[in-house]
Amino acid sequence: MIKAILLDLGGVLIDLDLAACRKAFIEILGFNKIDELLDPCHQKGIYSDLEEGKISVDEFRALVIKDSKPGSDPMDVDRCMEALLSGMDPAKVPFLVELADMYEVYALTNNNPIAMRRFHEIYEENGLDYRKVFRHEFISSEMKLLKPDLRIFRQAVEGMGLDASEILFVDDSQSNVDAAASVGLNSVRYVPGTDLRETIETALRNLDR
């Protein structure tokens, strides 16, 4: 019996715009190494280091500024990163509230403090009280681990206090879905731009058979 829903954030709840992020880094900062860092599911290089908690936000900003045009402001790094998060489908808001009434809802995300601040702003802009929806947000930069490392899934399951078989995990990365399944989580891939409600409700129906 499913007792909890464990959701990825970027690409599942919040839409991503890699092109806008790339454009911001190049036009605002003159940072031309951005293509070495961005990926739809798993960031690379110093971006990955930030999301794994290997470097701090200030260290990340300084590394970007070092390769940016003279006079660049560290706060512009935040603006460029926030350009990755393009918004939220309003239809997801009532669905998340419904889920939280029926299940324990958690988040598990490869993420960093700069982006998480913007995630929370987007929720609030869409009228979602995320504190009432999520029992807890498992964030990679705090856990010092990145999906699809099996250890991050095991730690999340332990933190939820449930058996893995009682959890449905939803992510837009197939490698993350496969890794979660290998530690016993019921896992389903969400395709960005499709109906999240349909994806989750179909998965739950299939599990009930």
Side-chain angles (χ1 to χ4, degrees):
M1 178 181 176
I2 297 298
K3 296 181 179 179
I5 311 294
L6 180 61
L7 297 168
D8 178 38
L9 298 183
V12 174
L13 297 188
I14 303 296
D15 298 327
L16 304 181
D17 190 336
L18 272 73
C21 184
R22 178 182 183 276
K23 181 180 180 183
F25 270 99
I26 292 173
E27 293 187 356
I28 295 173
L29 292 169
F31 182 76
N32 296 311
K33 294 185 177 181
I34 188 59
D35 289 332
E36 300 174 14
L37 308 182
L38 284 181
D39 184 88
C41 295
H42 305 102
Q43 309 303 350
K44 299 172 286 189
I46 59 171
Y47 205 137
S48 175
D49 290 343
L50 175 65
E51 301 210 320
E52 195 173 352
K54 289 182 176 179
I55 60 174
S56 69
V57 167
D58 286 341
E59 288 170 328
F60 176 79
R61 290 177 182 136
L63 289 167
V64 172
I65 290 296
K66 180 173 68 69
D67 289 319
S68 298
K69 62 188 178 184
S72 294
D73 188 328
M75 291 301 101
D76 284 336
V77 176
D78 293 27
R79 288 176 55 204
C80 294
M81 291 180 69
E82 290 170 357
L84 179 63
L85 309 177
S86 63
M88 182 179 188
D89 178 355
K92 292 178 180 177
V93 173
F95 178 55
L96 288 170
V97 173
E98 289 175 32
L99 276 183
D101 284 340
M102 298 182 290
Y103 302 94
E104 297 177 17
V105 178
Y106 297 84
L108 175 60
T109 178
N110 284 354
N111 235 307
N112 63 82
I114 298 171
M116 287 306 303
R117 181 181 65 228
R118 182 58 186 145
F119 270 102
H120 293 160
E121 290 174 352
I122 291 173
Y123 294 148
E124 291 173 353
E125 288 166 4
N126 284 273
L128 177 68
D129 188 344
Y130 68 91
R131 296 177 185 85
K132 291 183 178 179
V133 168
F134 296 114
R135 299 286 184 99
H136 185 73
E137 294 173 314
F138 296 99
I139 304 168
S140 63
S141 59
E142 297 175 359
M143 300 171 76
K144 313 294 185 186
L145 292 167
L146 288 171
K147 296 178 292 184
D149 189 319
L150 302 186
R151 292 173 296 172
I152 196 170
F153 297 105
R154 293 187 179 115
Q155 285 191 22
V157 171
E158 182 179 355
M160 294 165 74
L162 298 171
D163 189 273
S165 65
E166 298 174 316
I167 303 165
L168 174 64
F169 173 66
V170 185
D171 199 292
D172 62 319
S173 163
Q174 189 62 51
S175 62
N176 292 344
V177 168
D178 293 342
S182 75
V183 299
L185 286 157
N186 301 285
S187 303
V188 63
R189 179 171 179 253
Y190 169 72
V191 178
T194 61
D195 189 334
L196 181 63
R197 178 188 291 271
E198 182 178 351
T199 296
I200 292 178
E201 290 183 347
T202 298
L204 290 169
R205 284 195 300 271
N206 291 337
L207 289 168
D208 284 340
R209 289 176 181 171

